[in-house]
Amino acid sequence: MNGHAIEPGQTMAGRYRIEDLAGEVAQSRTWRAMDTILNRSVGIQTMPSNDARATAFLEAARASTTVLDPRFLRVLDAVADEGGAAYVVREWTRAVPLAVLLRERPMSNRRAATLIGEVADAVARAHEVGAYHCCISPATILVNDNDVVRITGLGTEHALYASGRPDEAEGHPCDEQADVLALGRVLYACLVARWPGGRESGLSPAPTEHGRLLRPRRVRAGVSRDVDAVCDRILGDPPRHDAAPLRSARDIAAALSRVSDDEPEPTGLSPSPAAATGTPTWASSSRATDGSPARGGTGSLPRALVITGVALLVAMLAVLAFYVGRQSAGDGAASDTSDGPKVPASSATAAARPLAARA
């Protein structure tokens, strides 16, 4: 048996019964299995034991156990060689990758800030004990039906992609700044359903202008200024308006906790042909491509202001109707209390005619 000869129905380590294939990444496979001793589902990630990356993969899995934050899927076991297969056993969770959600549509400001704020807080706790993920992406962040976040691949994902030096993957060092940059990219993807810096997890590349990444507010209408600024403080080189850059996961989590949802939520993306030229304007946007409100547009007017204006108008009309009613009632009362008997106009005219004839 090797990493790719495993089949459903097999039992590994005398307790893990393989159920079905859950996914494949970097020539490794992840299976859902049943722990027959504890009667619970687990995830088993396998690869051939003679793979050059197997040793680093298992070492990274063991090292990740120093991180106790429950938002990381916990490693339960790591086996170097069983029938030609090296594998790592993890907790199992019923959730979907963030990439699946983003392929459907972008997220609202509040939801994006909350989810990535949770990821950033978990990553900050890992950094406190000297552990780095280095491959944070929409594929390694899992979200369940209640928007509870779980993170997989702590250390091991980097080991799978590393080639040559064990401390590098795809030419980038594995350190705190690698995680900070990845958090900014995932936040950007949550807001516009595009990936900054190429294709990733099935998402199209984010547009650029003169070699600089367009900020989220220029890609999709409804992105709040707060969360847009957080993105720029992570990814901007340098950040606009001389803003202080965010250089730690803890700083990112704190900044996202202060984000307000001050723009309408998106109803979907409708790219114009200009998007292909790197100068995108969206059909649903009332904002010009330079980030300023478009002439005649009202889409960015806060909903609360509109409601307040309508309420004031209704109140003014009610007051006006009240005073008109009182004036009409006063005029009627004055007519009823005038001196002398009331003579209909027609009768008075008829009585005046004989007097005029006698005269």
Side-chain angles (χ1 to χ4, degrees):
M1 177 178 67
N2 60 47
H4 285 192
I6 297 173
E7 296 180 354
Q10 289 182 242
T11 299
M12 306 183 71
R15 64 186 292 181
Y16 304 118
R17 186 178 67 248
I18 302 298
E19 299 287 344
D20 48 50
L21 182 64
E24 298 184 60
V25 59
Q27 293 81 52
S28 72
R29 291 181 175 179
T30 298
W31 303 83
R32 184 177 65 85
M34 175 60 68
D35 183 343
T36 57
I37 294 180
L38 297 180
N39 193 32
R40 63 179 180 180
S41 291
V42 295
I44 299 183
Q45 189 172 6
T46 67
M47 65 189 312
S49 58
N50 60 2
D51 191 299
R53 304 164 299 167
T55 299
F57 173 65
L58 295 172
E59 288 177 353
R62 296 186 183 105
S64 71
T65 60
T66 61
V67 180
L68 303 179
D69 191 285
R71 287 166 290 196
F72 289 99
L73 288 181
R74 188 162 51 101
V75 169
L76 306 174
D77 201 357
V79 178
D81 190 352
E82 181 178 329
Y87 61 90
V88 170
V89 182
R90 291 189 182 89
E91 292 178 294
W92 181 261
T93 183
R94 293 184 179 275
V96 298
L98 177 62
V100 174
L101 302 179
L102 296 183
R103 284 197 288 268
E104 296 176 357
R105 58 168 288 171
M107 293 183 171
S108 68
N109 301 311
R110 172 54 54 198
R111 190 183 186 197
T114 300
L115 289 181
I116 305 308
E118 283 288 317
V119 176
D121 186 67
V123 170
R125 293 176 183 274
H127 289 176
E128 290 171 359
V129 297
Y132 306 105
H133 193 292
C134 297
C135 281
I136 300 170
S137 74
T140 60
I141 299 172
L142 310 176
V143 184
N144 71 9
D145 291 340
N146 296 319
D147 270 3
V148 174
V149 171
R150 302 299 299 276
I151 308 166
T152 187
L154 177 61
T156 58
E157 196 83 358
H158 177 265
L160 289 177
Y161 285 104
S163 59
R165 293 178 55 189
D167 63 334
E168 291 189 1
E170 298 182 343
H172 297 287
C174 181
D175 56 17
E176 181 179 16
Q177 290 310 303
D179 283 346
V180 168
L181 182 61
L183 288 169
R185 288 175 171 172
V186 176
L187 176 61
Y188 188 105
C190 286
L191 295 170
V192 302
R194 301 288 190 96
W195 184 254
R199 290 185 176 273
E200 168 68 34
S201 304
L203 300 177
S204 299
T208 59
E209 185 176 60
H210 306 303
R212 186 182 178 103
L213 181 70
L214 289 183
R215 66 183 188 272
R217 280 177 70 83
R218 292 189 62 186
V219 179
R220 178 180 67 78
V223 176
S224 73
R225 292 176 177 82
D226 291 346
V227 74
D228 185 81
V230 173
C231 258
D232 188 56
R233 291 175 66 190
I234 303 171
L235 302 178
D237 187 22
R240 294 173 177 83
H241 311 303
D242 297 321
L246 297 174
R247 298 303 188 197
S248 73
R250 176 64 61 209
D251 289 344
I252 293 173
L256 290 174
S257 69
R258 297 188 292 268
V259 165
S260 60
D261 207 355
D262 65 353
E263 301 283 350
E265 293 189 7
T267 57
L269 291 173
S270 303
S272 72
T277 66
T279 309
T281 55
W282 301 98
S284 61
S285 175
S286 63
R287 189 169 299 279
T289 56
D290 64 354
S292 61
R295 290 189 178 96
T298 59
S300 61
L301 191 63
R303 187 179 304 172
L305 184 59
V306 175
I307 295 174
T308 302
V310 172
L312 288 174
L313 180 60
V314 171
M316 291 172 63
L317 291 175
V319 171
L320 181 61
F322 173 75
Y323 279 109
V324 170
R326 285 191 61 181
Q327 185 64 35
S328 298
D331 291 345
S335 175
D336 289 341
T337 57
S338 60
D339 295 334
K342 302 301 183 291
V343 180
S346 57
S347 300
T349 303
R353 284 172 185 160
L355 292 174
R358 287 193 297 270

